[in-house]
Amino acid sequence: MTFQNRMTRAPIPFDPDRGIDARAALPDVTGPLGDLIAGAAGCSPYLFSLMCREAEWISPALNGAPEEALALALDDLKALAPDEMAAGLRRGKRRIALLAGLADLAGVWDLAQVTQALTDLADTAVDRAIRTTVTQEARRGKLPGFARDSEEVTGGMVALAMGKMGAGELNYSSDIDLICLFDESQYEDDSYFDARTSLIRATRRMATLLSEVTGDGYVFRTDLRLRPDPSSTPVCMAMDPAERYYESMGRTWERAAHIKARPAAGDIDAGEAYLERLVPFVWRKHLDFAAIQDAHDIRLKIRAHNGFTGAITLPEHNMKLGRGGIREIEFFTQTRQLIAGGRDRELRGRGTVAMLGELAKKDWIPSETAKILATHYRAHREVEHRLQMISDAQTHTLPKTEKGFQRLANFMGQGDVSVLKREIRERLEEVHDLTESFFAPTQARAAPEVSAEMKNVMAGWPSYPALRSSRAVHIFERLKPEILSRVMASAYPEQTLGQFDGFLAGLPAGVQLFSLFEANPQLIDLILDISSIAPNLAKYLASNAQVFDAVIGGSFFDAWPGLEALQGDLSVLLAGYSDYESQLDAVRRWMKEWHFRIGVHHLRGLISANEAGQQYADLAQAVLAEVWPVVGVEFARKHGTVPGRGGVVLGMGSLGARRLHAASDLDLIVIYDAQDVEESDGRRPLAVRTYFARLTQAFVTALSAPMAEGRLYEVDMRLRPSGRAGPVATNWAAFKSYQLEEAWVWEHLALTRARPVAGNEALAAEFEAFRAEVLGQNGAADRVIPQVAEMRARISVAKTPQGDNDAKIGEGRLQDVELCAQAVALMAGFTGFSVAEQIQAGNLLPAQKQTLMEAGQLMWQLQAAARLLNEGPLNVEDIGVGGVHFLLRETGCESLDDMRNRLAEAANSAQMVIEDLFGQPKEPLDD
């Protein structure tokens, strides 16, 4: 469609005589287009001057689509010769500024199209200026490594567009903010300083070429001061010192500035690589609520510096920096991005409106808030453009006089000043109301009265590591009344405060977590619950506070997604990291968040002990299934691709039975099938046995080694053939031979809970079939019963119960019930994995099954709860009232005495059934 066919509006001439003069200057432009010309010129002396100067160009340009005219104008700039660059760039600026202004005024282009056209002009102009000035340096012999007859070159220099130019949101009379850098790796060490000097010279000439006002005008006012420490660094910096600056000294406002940073001109590839290296600086791994206070402080400084205090008054109100203005919306958006963008790559976009929509989509802000702010942002920008179009001034200030407002009303096509003022004021006030409540800390409630004992506890707080910095203290003092109010609302305030004190004492730092609590006060209730019920989990939180990020994510209390969804989620996450160590750190963060989620759900009664056990097992399997190939890829870099079919990881014990508790380690076996391959094919080849042994060791290290993000799991591989004496990875053929000819009964018992959890699917399927065969052939009662009796005797000597509350160790307790379940499953040739399934499959009387099932269930409920509350033996004196209530809820008991009695009765009943099957434990035979 042509320009005229797309018109939806036109300004009203404020100066009708100038509108008439404009029509005369463009006699070929008639009809609605003529009205547009008259209205634009009658409101804007600047646009009138452009019409007069570019009359021959704009008249035919308006006959077609504006996109075609823009493309041709940009092509003209790209074809400019060096000796015509200065005049040519200014001519291009005049034409595109006129075209964009008219398209904006006529409603032919929306805001995004207008600002993108202006940004495209800036990108092209800066790129042409860089290439011209750098090439001049090369042709003068001043740029090392480049011949005097070089074609156009960039010399490794890139201009990062910052602010609105970076986001494709350049306003009508904006200056452009650039950070100019060069890739020093493209130069030899001995030529670094010569290259640096040459590129600094080129940068200065580039800025002059763009910003100098000549008889042809100027291109863009150019600001180079957003670079690191601009008072002491050159206008073009090497990338390495810039990176080191941000890593060691970068501030929150610089992080926010880099959200919109974009390589716009010069060596784009070098710029993209540089920004990728800055990702850890800009985007923190964890939710960064401390950015709210930083952004609020910046807002207050801007207001104080510019005198933007007090109520909103329209005359001379700054539409950009004033209350309710453009910058408020941008700060609101960017701060939310800084908080969450480290965890969510989709929140790292540059565009303000687009990111408001994305934040709403991810439930970081209400959809209605996003809609209102986006609408008002566009309207604010439209007013800003009209103010700037009048005289090509970099202004954001509303008129001082009624006459000025009348011009603006006409320019907006409104005409009615009172309506215009009302609409602008309403938008400013609504933006201010929506954004101020987010940034400005709410007035803290009065602190409640507390007991003398509680005051003594609080007296030690100033000495804690989390309260070392003045900033942490400042935030905590605002937060403390809220914490104490919630403590006093608990059933046992003094004990709750005492447990919270333990959490606070263990915190290594406080700013981030206190900021998180201030922005999300509901988390205070959660940490008080955890502290009062499960001090062990609170202790874990003190050193892993980043797991709270998961709570804020919005889906923390959703239903369990299941193994397949978990594995898919982790797979996508790991695909976003390119290096091995980052992948292992990422999986640790991911696992901790899900592990924490299961614990909280269990504590709050959202899931049962059985569900928690299955979820912990699903989580472990997802980790194993995704870490195994990651380790394999890293290992293959040195030693070649995995020989044959590779390996399969077997989950044994509780993992195989899909029932883990909060502190479970993992029992694993690795089996491999090299399919007659004798050696790997890498640059450092290994014999097959050595290859899989080292691969397995690397896998165990990846799971259990403490890293920056902690460890994943402790791993136990003693259930492999020959135990500690055997190889850590077992050949498939040797494994089969061993199981058929040499394995002990205990090893066949272990096989009843052996389940493939990672690795080659075909080999896993073969293992399953072989396992069924072994279990079907080796369950003769006269073989199993005496050896199980012998095993029980050894266990009774080696392990004694740790008190009356020990659910696991002892005759008739959990370990004994599980051993019995494995034995009856082996004798039945049953291939199921869970304790309940195995008991049901056994050749037992219904009453015996029921006794074992009920005892096993009670023991598991207590064991799962105890391991969530405590690392060591369960001492009910140490877990507090909240912990006791949790134990009683889980076991369905009325009191601790009731729980002990039921535990003892269940154990005695189970012991009687087990001894009916296997006899009483006797002194073990000598080896």
Side-chain angles (χ1 to χ4, degrees), residues 291-293 295-296 299 328 331-332 335 435-441:
I292 298 175
Q293 183 67 47
H296 182 56
R299 293 167 71 241
E328 301 279 75
F331 268 27
F332 177 89
T335 304
T435 58
E436 190 72 12
S437 60
F438 169 66
F439 285 109

Side-chain angles (χ1 to χ4, degrees), residues 670-826:
V670 173
I671 296 171
Y672 67 89
D673 182 12
Q675 292 184 315
D676 298 326
V677 177
E678 295 183 356
E679 187 177 73
S680 65
D681 59 0
R683 54 188 173 87
R684 293 171 57 184
L686 296 172
V688 162
R689 179 171 177 172
T690 303
Y691 183 100
F692 283 101
R694 292 189 185 177
L695 173 61
T696 302
Q697 289 165 345
F699 179 56
V700 172
T701 299
L703 296 172
S704 60
M707 298 179 63
E709 300 289 345
R711 59 165 50 91
L712 286 166
Y713 294 98
E714 295 288 354
V715 174
D716 190 337
M717 302 196 72
R718 288 174 296 175
L719 290 179
R720 66 186 186 270
S722 302
R724 287 193 179 96
V728 292
T730 305
N731 177 277
W732 175 224
F735 179 85
K736 290 190 290 184
S737 174
Y738 180 86
Q739 289 290 338
L740 292 173
E741 300 172 11
E742 301 178 46
W744 295 68
V745 167
W746 74 263
E747 291 174 299
H748 287 152
L749 291 173
L751 209 59
T752 64
R753 298 203 289 182
R755 184 169 61 87
V757 292
N760 184 276
E761 293 183 0
L763 184 56
E766 283 190 29
F767 168 80
E768 287 280 24
F770 175 72
R771 171 178 170 272
E773 177 187 343
V774 171
L775 295 181
Q777 295 177 0
N778 290 275
D782 59 354
R783 174 177 179 264
V784 174
I785 289 174
Q787 291 208 31
V788 170
E790 173 73 9
M791 290 173 64
R792 294 186 69 236
R794 290 180 181 275
I795 291 170
S796 69
V797 172
K799 297 181 178 181
T800 56
Q802 294 181 311
D804 294 338
N805 300 313
D806 192 334
K808 180 178 179 181
I809 304 301
E811 294 172 8
R813 308 226 169 190
L814 186 61
Q815 187 180 63
D816 208 15
V817 172
E818 290 183 347
L819 177 61
C820 176
Q822 291 173 270
V824 298
L826 177 60

